[in-house]
Amino acid sequence: MSQDLADRVAEAFASDGALARHDAHFMPREQQDRLALAVARAVEERGTLVAEAGTGVGKTFAYLVPLLLSDRRALVSTATKSLQDQLFLRDLPRLVQALGVPVRMALLKGRASYLCRHRLAHARTTAELPDRFAVRQLARVETWALSTRSGDLAELEGLDERSPVIPIVTSTRDNCLGTDCPEHRSCHVMQARREAMAADLVVVNHHLFFADMALRDSGVAELLPTVDAAVFDEAHQLVETGVQFLGTMLGTAQVLDVGRDLLAAGLAQARGLMPWHELQAGLEKAARELRLACAGALREVRGVIKLRWDERARDGRLQEPLAALARAADEAADALAGVAAVGPDFVRLQERVRTIAELAERFAQEPADGRVRWIDLSPLQARLVESPLDIRDMLTEQRQAAPRAWIFTSATLGEDDGLAWFTSATGLEDATTLRVGSPFDYPNHARAWIPARFPKPNEAAHPAAVGSLAARLAGALGGRTFVLTTTLRVLPQIAEALRTEAEWQGQALEILVQGSQPRRALLQRFGDGRGAVLVGSQSFWEGIDMPGDALQCVLIDKLPFPPPNDPLVEARVRQLRAEGRDPFDAYFVAEAAVSLKQGAGRLIRTETDRGLLVVCDPRMRQMGYGARLRAALPPMSWVGSEEEALDWLHELAAEH
């Protein structure tokens, strides 16, 4: 490594360095220095680094400072659009100012994040909106569109990502007119891509990265060959995200969208030339019948559930709905071919319905070797997916394409020094690995407890026992408790038992339950300082920062093993068995260890935080693999009884 870059990085993190001079609250950490120098070495040598950095290390600054000081072009990818905005709008400007480096930065998101002026113009006259609230939202978008420079819908406060207005005023790869669009010169998507290509550092997200690797539609594929370093923060989510987006997908919402666009364009530009209502109705009927066939006997669906392909496709149950969809799409394509000369909208619509017909025919056939199929079913749509089992081949291909630095970092990447949980699923066994522990004083500030006499997770009494225990612990704190469940199914049972026990004890606990309000509203209410108990499932296990005494008890209902009947899990089990490996040891326990670390990571977020972690699963005490899972957690002090746990919580409550 160039001594010059090493010296500059070390100077920036020193007690009297650039960061300390700019921010009086900056605290130099040995762990942060180690990570920053490892990143600098990877950037200089164009190497591959996989680094696990515990909570409190400050990994964001540890990778951004070397990038900014290296004078190299870089791509930074993180897990979500909100984390993207945090990096671009808060962290990077602070560092650029502190370091005094002339760096051009850009933010690049997917199409669905940017206003499409052409579709907005059509929406004014053709949009079919479900209610008055949506009409008011569209009016807000129209007003904002007159002044926005970026076209990023995140600028519109209060516009929910699930709003029915968003698909109407944004483009997709399928419906974008490209250079034929009358608004092409002022297109916000194209503007964002131009700014990204001209920038020294570009911030993207994992969904965009993998979707673009598959579809070549958002500019990342053109951008990646031009950068010297690619950094992936929150890298533990890469495999799951990649598997979702590198696959082939056919969704009933996709069919409904093209039907809606076909009807709107037909009535606006070619009324009377084709039976537009009938064509749209045919697509809609086919989409609904396909979703019904996918759902089978399921009538009520909460959230998104994965269904096994062989169960739904058995005896050819999906054959006729897929054939009907292909016929409806072919009929629409024939009609659109007859009016293609009217305008570019009809050419793109014809391409879209042909793609749907091709996908319907593909899913009617057997899946390709080495790929797994499943169905994502939600209350509103079914999505058929065929995907690779991991991202090894894709990442290997990208790493071999050109010499550049590849850096992957997260607070949880495995349980061993080789970080095998992550490197084996990504083909990064040859990477340099680094584990940097948290600087927090876990032994003195945190306690952990596994109840000894407790129903087993497969016993009917377990959810009620979890809820009752949560009420007793939260009662000692006056709230300030997370109850994390491994499944949505038990969530209402635990919440009800919690309410019942709290009432019996005379505790006035406010109990917030996932699904009762939007996630953001629940977190805002929980963190407002008045004390509450939040019962949540998977989406609350990570990415939540509740520093201070707002959260001082995290209770996990059972060990977070992957669901054995999940189609992806089943496929990975078959793969491991074919390789002669033990799936339980190599996969189930490894996955549980990482998920357990993620859930436990909600508890201690700063040097002064104190709290209690409870895992309501006696297997963590009794089974041989329990020692491995306990060792994966931060070095908390263990307590042996509910009395000791309550004593600790009473001590914390007295300080509140």
Side-chain angles (χ1 to χ4, degrees):
M1 175 173 54
S2 162
Q3 194 57 41
D4 178 55
L5 180 58
D7 289 344
R8 293 171 72 193
V9 169
E11 188 279 331
F13 284 107
S15 58
D16 59 348
L19 298 179
R21 290 194 301 271
H22 185 75
D23 183 356
H25 299 290
F26 174 77
M27 183 182 298
R29 300 187 187 283
E30 179 268 337
Q31 296 92 339
Q32 193 177 45
D33 288 348
R34 286 179 58 201
L35 178 56
L37 289 172
V39 171
R41 184 176 297 109
V43 171
E44 284 283 279
E45 298 174 359
R46 298 179 184 268
T48 301
L49 171 69
V50 176
E52 181 181 88
T55 306
V57 166
K59 62 182 171 62
T60 303
F61 280 22
Y63 67 73
L64 286 179
V65 169
L67 290 181
L68 293 172
L69 293 176
S70 69
D71 300 322
R72 305 282 180 86
R73 290 199 77 200
L75 175 80
V76 176
S77 179
T78 191
T80 64
K81 288 189 285 187
S82 59
L83 287 173
Q84 256 189 291
D85 289 334
Q86 178 180 306
L87 273 177
F88 186 74
L89 299 174
R90 190 189 72 181
D91 298 333
L92 275 167
R94 288 170 58 192
L95 285 178
V96 167
Q97 185 178 1
L99 299 172
V101 287
V103 174
R104 292 173 299 177
M105 301 175 294
L107 184 68
L108 184 61
K109 299 180 181 179
R111 285 183 178 276
S113 294
Y114 298 103
L115 173 73
C116 173
R117 295 181 184 275
H118 177 63
R119 288 177 62 79
L120 176 63
H122 279 281
R124 293 187 181 104
T125 55
T126 63
E128 295 182 7
L129 297 172
D131 51 40
R132 292 178 182 177
F133 182 67
V135 173
R136 288 197 297 270
Q137 282 190 325
L138 179 58
R140 283 187 63 212
V141 172
E142 289 185 286
T143 302
W144 164 79
L146 299 173
S147 59
T148 180
R149 193 193 73 82
S150 71
D152 186 346
L153 291 167
E155 294 176 359
L156 267 169
E157 197 169 330
L159 183 64
D160 192 283
E161 288 189 352
R162 296 165 296 181
S163 168
V165 169
I166 290 180
I168 294 170
V169 300
T170 60
S171 69
T172 66
R173 176 175 179 265
D174 293 329
N175 63 32
C176 175
L177 300 181
T179 54
D180 291 328
C181 179
E183 299 283 352
H184 182 69
R185 286 181 175 273
S186 58
C187 174
H188 291 301
V189 172
M190 297 307 299
Q191 174 189 325
R193 292 184 188 177
R194 287 192 296 268
E195 290 177 358
M197 290 302 295
D200 302 306
L201 191 150
V202 183
V203 182
V204 302
N205 62 66
H206 302 340
H207 293 82
L208 176 66
F209 179 83
F210 284 109
D212 199 67
M213 291 299 105
L215 301 174
R216 300 295 195 269
D217 181 52
S218 298
V220 176
E222 290 77 25
L223 177 65
L224 187 59
T226 71
V227 303
D228 302 302
V231 178
F232 296 86
D233 197 356
E234 302 296 324
H236 64 281
Q237 296 190 19
L238 275 181
V239 175
E240 183 178 347
T241 304
V243 165
Q244 288 281 348
F245 281 89
L246 292 176
T248 301
M249 287 166 278
L250 170 62
T252 55
Q254 172 186 356
V255 180
L256 295 175
D257 284 347
V258 75
R260 183 190 63 225
D261 291 348
L262 176 147
L263 180 62
L267 295 180
Q269 302 176 51
R271 184 183 292 268
L273 297 184
M274 294 293 170
W276 301 117
H277 282 100
E278 289 84 347
L279 293 168
Q280 188 263 350
L283 288 167
E284 184 175 317
K285 180 184 178 185
R288 287 177 175 169
E289 289 181 349
L290 179 57
R291 189 197 174 280
L292 284 172
C294 290
L298 289 171
R299 287 294 173 262
E300 185 177 346
V301 179
R302 295 179 61 192
V304 179
I305 58 174
K306 270 194 178 71
L307 301 175
R308 296 160 67 179
W309 179 263
D310 55 355
E311 283 186 0
R312 291 302 187 264
R314 187 183 301 145
D315 303 326
R317 292 178 208 172
L318 297 181
Q319 291 295 319
E320 179 49 38
L322 286 168
L325 176 57
R327 287 194 298 272
D330 283 335
E331 288 175 13
D334 290 342
L336 289 161
V339 295
V342 173
D345 283 320
F346 295 108
V347 177
R348 293 299 290 144
L349 283 165
Q350 186 182 12
E351 293 171 359
R352 290 169 67 187
V353 292
R354 279 180 176 163
T355 297
I356 287 170
E358 290 168 3
L359 287 171
E361 291 168 2
R362 173 171 178 165
F363 277 99
Q365 308 300 318
E366 289 297 312
D369 291 340
R371 296 173 79 84
V372 60
R373 274 187 189 170
W374 72 90
I375 298 166
D376 286 334
L377 188 70
S378 71
L380 297 178
Q381 76 155 321
R383 190 172 67 157
L384 283 55
V385 187
E386 180 181 308
S387 177
L389 276 175
D390 53 45
I391 61 173
R392 291 178 61 93
D393 292 346
M394 175 270 179
L395 268 185
T396 299
E397 179 185 338
Q398 290 298 325
R399 289 174 64 209
Q400 292 174 347
R404 70 174 55 88
W406 294 86
I407 296 149
F408 305 86
T409 185
S410 170
T412 48
L413 289 176
E415 52 178 321
D416 63 301
D417 288 341
L419 302 173
W421 175 83
F422 180 76
T423 58
S424 63
T426 50
L428 297 171
E429 291 93 344
D430 60 332
T432 299
T433 57
L434 174 69
R435 297 186 83 189
V436 181
S438 171
F440 297 160
D441 185 2
Y442 280 101
N444 286 318
H445 287 185
R447 302 287 185 270
W449 175 46
I450 305 165
R453 296 179 179 177
F454 207 81
K456 294 179 181 178
N458 61 352
E459 294 178 3
H462 186 262
V466 172
S468 296
L469 177 59
R472 296 194 295 275
L473 298 177
L477 275 174
R480 296 183 281 143
T481 298
F482 265 13
V483 181
L484 300 178
T485 72
T486 53
T487 64
L488 281 170
R489 179 181 55 82
V490 300
L491 195 143
Q493 301 171 49
I494 291 174
E496 183 57 34
L498 205 164
R499 287 192 189 94
T500 301
E501 180 74 15
E503 289 173 6
W504 185 82
Q505 291 186 9
Q507 296 281 356
L509 292 175
E510 181 176 8
I511 299 167
L512 307 172
V513 182
Q514 178 180 341
S516 62
Q517 300 177 52
R519 180 175 181 267
R520 181 180 296 180
L522 288 173
L523 291 172
Q524 286 175 342
R525 174 64 192 89
F526 182 89
D528 68 6
R530 287 181 284 174
V533 183
L534 191 151
V535 186
S537 190
Q538 195 61 46
S539 63
F540 290 88
W541 279 66
E542 59 179 280
I544 292 171
D545 194 16
M546 287 281 173
D549 56 12
L551 173 61
Q552 292 196 300
C553 181
V554 170
L555 187 143
I556 294 173
D557 71 331
K558 63 180 180 179
L559 294 175
F561 289 118
N565 59 349
D566 181 289
L568 266 173
V569 174
E570 290 178 333
R572 284 172 177 148
V573 166
R574 289 194 296 269
Q575 184 184 54
L576 288 166
R577 283 181 177 149
E579 295 169 358
R581 300 168 67 190
D582 176 9
F584 185 75
D585 183 66
Y587 180 61
F588 285 91
V589 177
E591 290 283 329
V594 170
S595 294
L596 206 56
K597 286 173 70 174
Q598 283 289 343
R602 300 314 97 218
L603 188 63
I604 305 296
R605 306 300 297 175
T606 72
E607 290 89 344
T608 57
D609 286 1
R610 305 174 79 194
L612 172 72
L613 171 70
V614 182
V615 183
C616 301
D617 193 331
R619 293 175 297 178
M620 199 167 170
R621 274 179 176 265
Q622 300 163 356
M623 306 303 290
Y625 57 78
R628 179 176 162 189
L629 294 175
R630 294 195 300 273
L633 293 172
M636 303 175 178
S637 298
W638 290 86
V639 298
S641 68
E642 183 172 339
E643 183 180 9
E644 289 181 56
L646 287 169
D647 286 344
W648 173 245
L649 294 180
H650 285 305
E651 181 181 330
L652 300 183
E655 299 170 353
H656 181 59

